[in-house]
Amino acid sequence: MIAFLFKRGQRPAPQRPLRTAIILVALIFAIDLWMPLGVSMAPLYVLPVLISVWHGRRLTTVLVAVAASLLTPLGLLLTWTLKSPIDGISPESLHLLEALELATDYFVIWITAALGVMRIESERELMRTRGLTAVALESSADGIVTTDAQGRVQILNPVAEKLTGWEEAQARGRPLEQVLVLESEKREGSAVFSSGGARRRLLISRDGHKQPVDVSSAPLQGVPGIAGGNVIVVRDASDLVAYERRLRDLAFRDRLTGLPNRASLLERLDLELAHARRSGSQLALLFLDLDGFKAVNDELGHHAGDELLRAVAQRLLGCLREADTVARLGGDEFTVLVPGLTDARAARAVAAKVLEALGKPLVLEGRVQPIRPSIGVALFPGDAQQGEELLRLADQAMYAAKRGGGSRVQFFAASPPGEPAREDLPAARDRA
């Protein structure tokens, strides 16, 4: 009957349990009147109370319990009125038995009603919690993935769906490693998803797209003390990686020209010096300063000065090898690090090439502007062994070039007084 009323066990519509409870109350009351005296059907009133709980409303359960409580004594009264007493049992004993039965019925009915109300309250709280959880998952800016104790995916919020390329319905029940594919997984295995702080990983989505993410994991507790799966939080780190890259660029790059700055030059210089020591090769450090640069700023403005600096940077990059390092130290000061040399003549050839590249004039603000660099050169291992010292000596040689008239190359000379200094290279216009 219950299956028929509920249409083969499907969860009924909200009004159906109430209708079923009313029908059962009436049916039990009628059967109770039909049964012989002394045989009570009152305990069956628990059934409509239980069914009313399915309705999901406290008031319905309480009303059904009240109706059952009223119909139980009414059934007893009508039974006594309409039927003959049982032979061999005194009226006093029968009344006592009926009173005990009535008390038992009330106890069972109201205990069932109380438990039903508690169930309704707990289900409401559970639904409220589920609703809040669903809202939190939907509104979270991070991807959230939950798994069961066997590591199979259970929940995928919209952000996680977007990051992984999997829909929740497709991913549910699949192994976590199949849905959340991280590039470091082959090296670290399950340790990628172990509990702990966020770890930077490269996420490979279902269509093969790769992007940096921060991944953290924490256990879900089912039965207290027993692991019941994990919750994995995946945060898109693309913006953070780009920001970190910009910070590195600011720390190691010149913003105007895009060239390495002083810190980057010294780091590269230390690496090249270590390589030169191992290989037995030489390297040269050229220190450039532009003669008359202040006049360009004063006469044509700082915009023209910036354009001149960018042009110098491009010409230096265009005339040197990929292995060479061009850096801007600040203002109009540039350096060129030339590794892998065999002797000083190779350094002179590079310096001459730089002079030739910078010797062509530049048109600024409609005016032809010559570029006149003073270049100082220091060599490893002949002049210095350490990077900072090599840079200082190249700087000294550059000032010596300026004192010699500028627009020329001057090699560092540590010759004692009375001995000739190293040969210098005049500018292209002087050689002409």
Side-chain angles (χ1 to χ4, degrees), residues 9 54 92 152 158 163 184 189 211 247 273 292 300 310 394 422:
W54 207 350
E92 294 77 7
R152 294 187 295 264
L163 290 173
S184 58
Q211 67 180 100
L247 287 181
L273 285 172
L300 302 180
R310 284 191 288 265
R422 291 185 182 177

Side-chain angles (χ1 to χ4, degrees), residues 15-16 19 22 27 65 99 147 192 219 236 256 259 307 323 405 422:
Q15 71 276 10
R16 192 164 295 159
R19 184 178 64 188
I22 294 173
L27 185 61
T147 66
V192 174
D236 185 357
L256 177 64
L259 296 176
E307 185 178 347
R422 291 185 182 177

